[in-house]
Amino acid sequence: MILSDVMMPPPNGFELRKLMSLDPQLSSIPFIFLTARSDSDDKVNAISDGADDYITKPFVVHELIARIGAVLRRVKIAHECGRVQAKAIADADLERVRHEILQNFHHEIRTRSRIS
């Protein structure tokens, strides 16, 4: 997880998030802005650009911890769903291959029994 301020030397937090979104290995890392910038447009733009949350300073530690926990739970659920979907696809592919092998096997048996 990345906790980033908006206001920092180049790249700023918004630019950092955009750069990360271009890299498939970095784009899925949970990203939370923790900043003094409280403008509504900043919040909307940050979330629209892929940030998982936007927390303004001063912040309450318990709230920050709760928000981090919420983001990590969502990430965990998304990973689990991805694994379930990947397993379902793999199972379907395996079943398709089994079916094709059996069809070919039956065809070979019928063909060989006609030749004999």
Side-chain angles (χ1 to χ4, degrees), residues 74-92:
R74 286 194 304 267
V75 168
K76 182 180 178 185
I77 289 168
H79 283 285
E80 289 298 321
C81 288
R83 277 187 228 140
V84 168
Q85 289 174 344
K87 184 179 181 327
I89 291 169
D91 288 348

Side-chain angles (χ1 to χ4, degrees), residues 44-63:
V44 170
N45 290 333
I47 300 298
S48 296
D49 286 343
D52 295 285
D53 206 342
Y54 191 101
I55 303 166
T56 56
K57 297 175 186 176
F59 60 91
V60 177
V61 173
H62 291 89
E63 179 183 357

